[in-house]
Amino acid sequence: MAQAVAGLLLVLEEKDQLTIAAMDPNNLIDLHVGLGLAIRNAYDLHNPDNPILFECATSRPDDAARFIIHALWQRLQ
């Protein structure tokens, strides 16, 4: 998951990082459709053998993307 967060920090523009950092953690779900979809696709979270799923302790791509978004938010704090 740390590698996914590091990758996101490389590709997200500074204004997007600032927007995410300023969000209330309870509102991170608002990122599920756009950023979450991009994360699921970019990191192949639909692959049941993906080690990120194991690292997130889930078999659900949506949950893994949610955990990654939250970890990204924490990193930006």
Side-chain angles (χ1 to χ4, degrees):
M1 181 167 29
Q3 189 174 16
V5 170
L8 289 169
L9 290 171
L10 290 175
V11 298
L12 285 172
E13 294 183 17
E14 183 178 357
K15 68 178 179 68
D16 295 324
Q17 290 183 30
L18 291 172
T19 298
I20 294 168
M23 291 180 76
D24 182 295
N26 294 319
N27 294 332
L28 293 176
I29 191 68
D30 295 343
L31 301 175
H32 180 74
V33 174
L35 182 58
L37 176 63
I39 290 169
R40 290 188 296 278
N41 290 337
Y43 293 101
D44 193 28
L45 296 180
H46 295 286
N47 176 355
D49 296 325
N50 189 316
I52 294 174
L53 295 174
F54 178 76
E55 192 176 343
C56 292
T58 185
S59 62
R60 298 182 47 164
D62 290 341
D63 290 342
R66 182 172 47 89
F67 295 144
I68 292 168
I69 289 171
H70 192 266
L72 172 65
W73 177 84
Q74 286 181 313
R75 175 72 165 77
L76 292 170
Q77 296 307 299

